[in-house]
Amino acid sequence: MKQAPKALILLVSGALAATLPVAAWSQSARSYISIVGSSTVYPFATVVAEQFGGTGKFKTPKVESTGSGGGIKLFCSGVGVQYPDIANSSRAIKPAELKDCAAHGVKDVVEVKIGYDGIVLAESVAAPGLNPGLREIYLALAKQVPDPAGKQVLVANPYKTWKDVNPKLPATVIEVLGPPPTSGTRDAFVELAMEGGCKSFPWIKAIKDQDEARFKQVCHTIREDGRFIEAGENDNLIVQKLKANPRAVGIFGYSFLDENTDSVKGSAIDGVAPTFENIASGKYPVSRPLFFYAKKAHIGSIPGLKEYLQEFTSQKAMGEEGYLADRGLVPLPAAEYKAVAGQVKQLLTMPIPR
Amino acid sequence: MMANDGDRNRHQLSPEETRRRVNAGLRRRYRSEQLFRFYGICSVSLGVVFLLVLFGTIIGNGYSAFQQSFVRLDIHFDAELVDPDGARDPEVLSAADYSLLVKSALREIVPEAGSRAERRELNGLVSAGAVFELRETVMADARILGQTRSMWLPLASEMDLWIKARSAGESGEDVGGRISANQRAWLERLQADDRIELQFNKAFFSNGDSREPELAGVWGATKGSFFMLLVTLLLSFPLGVAAAIYLEEFARRSWWVDVVEVNINNLAAVPSIVFGLLGLAVFINFFGLPRSAPLVGGLVLTLMTLPVVIIASRAAIKAVPPSVREAALGIGASQMQMVFHHVLPLALPGMLTGAIIGMARALGESAPLLMIGMVAFIVDVPSGPMSPSTALPVQIYLWADSPERAFVERTSAAIMVLLAFLLVMNATAVWLRSRFERRW
């Protein structure tokens, strides 16, 4: 019976040994690039990271999927090896965030616009095809809509089928699967599609100048009576649900449509189909730019950071025929691409707002 | 008084009357017993059906990920292309564009692909990872330059899905519009030439994550999970057992002990994301440990499993009969000798069970790891508890969210690996328990 305490002592000493490296690790150099941020940019950043690491000169960067806001917050918390070098974002950095950055000593942020992402309304290939306009999307999905009788008051959304919204649309029940409020895709959808449709009512647009908060509440609030179904952050899940239910409409990023063209098709919005060309040319109304932000102060102390920026902005990655385009990123127009590549070469930093 | 009267009445019943009353109720009693057994069988079989459906879908979706299609290409290691100076400088060899070798080998087999678009389609047949394999071959032995060698290279994931669908007897129509008519024709020709083969998917078990599904593997995540659980076990088991022994055997009852007890029970019910936030604030921001390290993950999971281990260990100690303690003390053992020589060995199997329940929960946990940066794309397989890594449940989550179609089968395959990991862990615990088990 004597082994028991011995085994215990062994375990305790093992535990102590395991905690020893804690003391050894402090402020030592980091040999890989640390990237945080948006889950929308994640599929593109990881491809670049893998290509970059594959050449064998530098270690493969570590890419975390934290969401745009969370990533920028981490990025802005300071300069030094324990802080990330790059933050991916599916929206432009806000002035308040830049100020926060500067307050923590991060004063030299390089902004890189990498391309566009289209947000698509998609349905099963078996469905008849729903091609709404922005105004119809707003009317079908908002919590409160203008009175159908024509008076300038808001009423709770009475529409049950797309045909109720506009007699030209099919008589299918409104059933839309979309991302939850925590998602950047949802933010962009609300800002571009819902607000776009909302503004087509002049009297609602007039509210914006008087009462911005009221305007946002009217235009950005999605109905909660079960016609809009929050399907989680997983876009693959939405695709599968659409396959099973031809009446439903799903909202997700263009890259998922591109990968699943055999089972789902994109709806044209205001007559513009969500194709690669239409998003690139800016004709498709629901598209947003994607960015990443790099810390200039880390160039030199983190091996490969400058080379990573060059790899990302190279023609073979971000260009019109680049490998990111193969993954569903809609590339920048040639002139804009040139400007971005030039800025990265010079490592032009952003001005700090006052 | 009433009960006593009733008792007396029953005693006064004649044997015939008793038999009659018993017989009258007998059928009802048998029936209710049978009904109860039936309910039991129903609930067990319902559970089994759910389990079978779950395993059926996972295995049905995932078994194909254990195979991968390869294409045999005659690669000419052109010294002019790889190393124009002829100096065999490792730096030059590493930086060379090996995709040119693959492209020229493909063009030899399909010479009619002339236009730029057609060549792009042709090059799309082979995985982007083929390049890494060629580089490794050359780096390992530069004498291969100038020779031609027949090599099995992985096909791109879309092609792989098509080949698998075809070999399963399907038309392959449903793998999507990602594969063109030209590519179909070429694949068919390559198959007719016996240049395509389904082989065991070694990469899945030896690689870290990758954005090319045909290169993605679970080894990085498995190792990350292993390091994390090692840290968790080494910290939570001794600490938990020591705490349980002190609280059960040594501590005098006082309000202070009660407070500790209530807090331990409460901690066991705290949502795991809270431990992640705590880990972020304490281990990373205060102690300055690196993000994404299995060590930090292990520390966070230790906090989470500790209450479970303590509660289970205390229950195990309580279950040791007091006679054992009294006998030990009676023949002159000290309190500590009594605990370590007699109580602990008897309670150890129960403690192990508690530890394994806690560890199994820790293995499946992904929410707290989000906060400490382990939900990340990491290609390099971790070498120790300090190098960045992910864990198995996180890898499953990341793959389930990837747009590439071939990740669907890999997600299910990764779930199978997670289940196998769990099975090995539980089997070890059962074996340990049966070794320590003592009956009285």
Side-chain angles (χ1 to χ4, degrees):
Chain A
M1 292 230 181
K2 263 244 141 131
Q3 324 89 310
K6 266 193 199 148
L8 204 69
I9 288 164
L10 213 70
L11 275 177
V12 173
S13 51
L16 287 177
T19 49
L20 264 184
V22 175
W25 202 93
S26 62
Q27 300 294 315
S28 64
R30 173 154 54 79
S31 58
Y32 55 88
I33 301 170
S34 167
I35 303 169
V36 295
S38 162
S39 55
T40 312
V41 185
Y42 173 88
F44 308 122
T46 46
V47 172
V48 178
E50 192 169 0
Q51 288 286 334
F52 176 73
T55 58
K57 255 194 235 162
F58 300 101
K59 281 196 173 172
T60 311
K62 180 188 85 180
V63 187
E64 282 180 45
S65 165
T66 59
S68 301
I72 289 175
K73 201 170 164 200
L74 280 169
F75 174 79
C76 285
S77 30
V79 174
V81 286
Q82 68 270 46
Y83 303 109
D85 313 311
I86 289 176
N88 297 324
S89 175
S90 57
R91 56 168 171 78
I93 193 167
K94 294 175 188 161
E97 287 169 332
L98 265 180
K99 267 191 222 164
D100 177 53
C101 256
H104 290 93
V106 187
K107 292 185 176 126
D108 43 4
V109 179
V110 182
E111 182 181 52
V112 185
K113 189 172 180 182
I114 61 169
Y116 293 93
D117 177 36
I119 294 168
V120 298
L121 240 65
E123 52 191 332
S124 158
V125 280
L130 172 84
N131 296 317
L134 286 180
R135 187 173 188 149
E136 279 121 31
I137 294 176
Y138 164 70
L139 289 177
L141 292 179
K143 191 174 179 187
Q144 286 185 307
V145 294
D147 189 355
K151 272 182 277 174
Q152 292 194 352
V153 285
L154 292 166
V155 294
N157 196 333
Y159 303 116
K160 290 197 174 67
T161 68
W162 288 96
K163 201 176 174 147
D164 295 344
V165 178
N166 185 339
K168 282 184 204 144
L169 295 174
T172 42
V173 171
I174 297 170
E175 192 178 345
V176 178
L177 302 160
T182 48
S183 153
T185 312
R186 164 86 166 252
D187 290 347
F189 174 76
V190 164
E191 257 162 52
L192 295 164
M194 298 277 293
E195 195 177 316
C198 191
K199 273 198 280 202
S200 69
F201 293 92
W203 63 275
I204 299 184
K205 200 178 173 192
I207 300 178
K208 187 173 185 178
D209 304 325
Q210 298 156 12
D211 187 352
E212 178 104 30
R214 165 90 179 128
F215 172 76
K216 276 200 171 155
Q217 192 217 328
V218 170
C219 293
H220 289 195
T221 315
I222 287 187
R223 66 199 294 183
E224 292 157 351
D225 55 356
R227 307 232 171 256
F228 180 89
I229 302 149
E230 281 173 11
E233 295 260 18
N234 190 327
D235 292 349
N236 268 333
L237 197 70
I238 300 184
V239 171
Q240 278 176 21
K241 283 185 180 162
L242 292 183
K243 243 194 270 181
N245 180 2
R247 283 181 315 162
V249 178
I251 298 169
F252 44 79
Y254 171 73
S255 53
F256 282 83
L257 178 68
D258 194 34
E259 283 281 337
N260 294 287
T261 44
D262 59 321
S263 49
V264 291
K265 61 179 176 191
S267 308
I269 294 179
D270 283 330
V272 185
T275 59
F276 193 85
E277 291 74 24
N278 284 341
I279 298 170
S281 66
K283 267 192 222 152
Y284 184 73
V286 197
S287 73
R288 59 175 159 173
L290 302 177
F291 300 88
F292 74 80
Y293 296 89
K295 226 174 259 178
K296 193 176 172 185
H298 282 193
I299 290 175
S301 62
I302 303 292
L305 184 54
K306 196 170 175 185
E307 288 79 359
Y308 176 83
L309 295 184
Q310 275 158 6
E311 167 80 28
F312 212 128
T313 51
S314 68
Q315 191 77 42
K316 79 174 184 191
M318 233 169 80
E320 262 169 77
E321 303 262 307
Y323 55 74
L324 289 176
D326 290 344
R327 299 299 183 129
L329 178 75
V330 177
L332 300 171
E336 208 177 353
Y337 167 75
K338 246 187 178 166
V340 169
Q343 280 169 15
V344 170
K345 207 162 243 160
Q346 297 168 35
L347 296 172
L348 220 61
T349 58
M350 299 177 78
I352 298 158
R354 321 212 154 262
Chain B
M1 283 309 278
M2 287 293 283
N4 277 348
D5 283 352
D7 278 353
R8 201 169 306 139
N9 284 341
R10 210 168 292 149
H11 286 302
Q12 283 166 358
L13 286 178
S14 68
E16 292 77 34
E17 177 61 12
T18 313
R19 212 167 293 134
R20 196 192 62 76
R21 284 195 186 181
V22 168
N23 280 340
L26 207 54
R27 277 205 30 214
R28 190 178 43 79
R29 280 164 59 198
Y30 274 131
R31 206 177 50 233
S32 72
E33 177 152 343
Q34 266 167 352
L35 214 57
F36 182 76
R37 285 191 190 181
F38 175 72
Y39 289 148
I41 290 171
C42 273
S43 55
V44 169
S45 39
L46 198 66
V48 170
V49 165
F50 279 134
L51 200 69
L52 284 181
V53 168
L54 181 73
F55 277 24
T57 42
I58 289 172
I59 294 172
N61 277 334
Y63 78 95
S64 52
F66 297 126
Q67 283 197 317
Q68 158 75 31
S69 337
F70 286 79
V71 60
R72 182 167 51 86
L73 290 180
D74 304 314
I75 302 282
H76 175 57
F77 288 93
D78 194 338
E80 278 296 299
L81 277 177
V82 176
D83 188 16
D85 313 335
R88 303 289 187 263
D89 181 5
E91 197 123 307
V92 175
L93 291 182
S94 146
D97 188 358
Y98 288 93
S99 65
L100 295 174
L101 303 183
V102 179
K103 285 175 189 168
S104 68
L106 278 168
R107 215 169 310 148
E108 253 168 54
I109 301 173
V110 189
E112 73 271 19
S115 73
R116 200 162 174 275
E118 274 179 342
R119 277 204 227 141
R120 252 178 97 88
E121 283 177 41
L122 181 61
N123 298 335
L125 291 181
V126 177
S127 159
V131 175
F132 303 134
E133 201 158 313
L134 295 186
R135 179 185 298 121
E136 258 171 50
T137 315
V138 172
M139 297 297 279
D141 185 5
R143 278 173 301 181
I144 200 170
L145 288 179
Q147 296 174 14
T148 301
R149 188 174 288 185
S150 177
M151 289 181 82
W152 285 103
L153 297 173
L155 279 178
S157 62
E158 295 96 350
M159 314 302 145
D160 177 49
L161 285 180
W162 189 76
I163 297 278
K164 280 176 186 165
R166 288 286 292 239
S167 69
E170 293 159 24
S171 66
E173 288 306 320
D174 57 343
V175 294
R178 307 282 301 170
I179 167 166
S180 71
N182 272 338
Q183 287 174 326
R184 278 166 212 238
W186 293 329
L187 284 177
E188 268 167 10
R189 182 168 355 142
L190 286 168
Q191 264 184 320
D193 289 353
D194 275 336
R195 279 183 179 273
I196 289 183
E197 209 175 86
L198 274 175
Q199 295 178 359
F200 177 66
N201 189 357
K202 220 170 64 188
F204 185 73
F205 292 99
S206 60
N207 284 6
D209 198 1
S210 168
R211 284 312 308 287
E212 311 291 338
E214 66 273 13
L215 300 180
V218 284
W219 185 232
T222 311
K223 257 183 118 173
S225 270
F226 172 76
F227 286 131
M228 223 163 59
L229 287 186
L230 192 71
V231 172
T232 308
L233 181 69
L234 288 180
L235 288 173
S236 69
F237 191 62
L239 283 178
V241 168
I245 290 176
Y246 179 78
L247 286 175
E248 257 331 295
E249 297 286 343
F250 294 97
R252 294 226 173 79
R253 286 214 76 80
S254 65
W255 67 270
W256 187 80
V257 173
D258 287 341
V259 168
V260 170
E261 204 164 309
V262 167
N263 276 309
I264 288 172
N265 289 335
N266 278 343
L267 271 182
V270 167
S272 54
I273 186 86
V274 176
F275 290 108
L277 285 167
L278 185 75
L280 175 68
V282 175
F283 300 125
I284 293 179
N285 291 347
F286 185 72
F287 285 113
L289 289 174
R291 279 178 76 79
S292 317
L295 175 70
V296 180
L299 287 169
V300 168
L301 293 179
T302 300
L303 296 178
M304 209 187 78
T305 27
L306 207 50
V308 180
V309 175
I310 294 177
I311 292 169
S313 301
R314 291 188 65 179
I317 292 172
K318 265 190 204 139
V320 174
S323 55
V324 172
R325 294 190 184 79
E326 281 153 16
L329 292 176
I331 57 170
S334 73
Q335 182 97 345
M336 200 169 133
Q337 282 172 326
M338 179 269 283
V339 169
F340 280 96
H341 295 179
H342 301 279
V343 176
L344 191 60
L346 287 173
L348 211 52
M351 292 172 168
L352 279 173
T353 311
I356 220 68
I357 291 171
M359 300 293 286
R361 206 185 129 196
L363 174 66
E365 204 52 72
S366 62
L369 305 183
L370 179 72
M371 308 310 302
I372 55 170
M374 289 186 81
V375 179
F377 174 73
I378 290 158
V379 174
D380 302 323
V381 174
S383 54
M386 296 301 278
S387 44
S389 87
T390 61
L392 274 170
V394 172
Q395 190 67 75
I396 292 167
Y397 165 74
L398 286 174
W399 282 354
D401 212 17
S402 296
E404 285 81 9
R405 189 66 77 78
F407 274 121
V408 174
E409 56 177 26
R410 277 165 180 79
T411 306
S412 292
I415 294 173
M416 282 192 255
V417 171
L418 180 72
L419 289 175
F421 196 122
L422 202 65
L423 214 66
V424 169
M425 233 168 71
N426 282 341
T428 318
V430 169
W431 176 75
L432 276 176
R433 203 162 55 197
S434 68
R435 273 207 54 187
F436 285 118
E437 190 105 74
R438 231 162 278 258
R439 296 187 187 281
W440 60 83

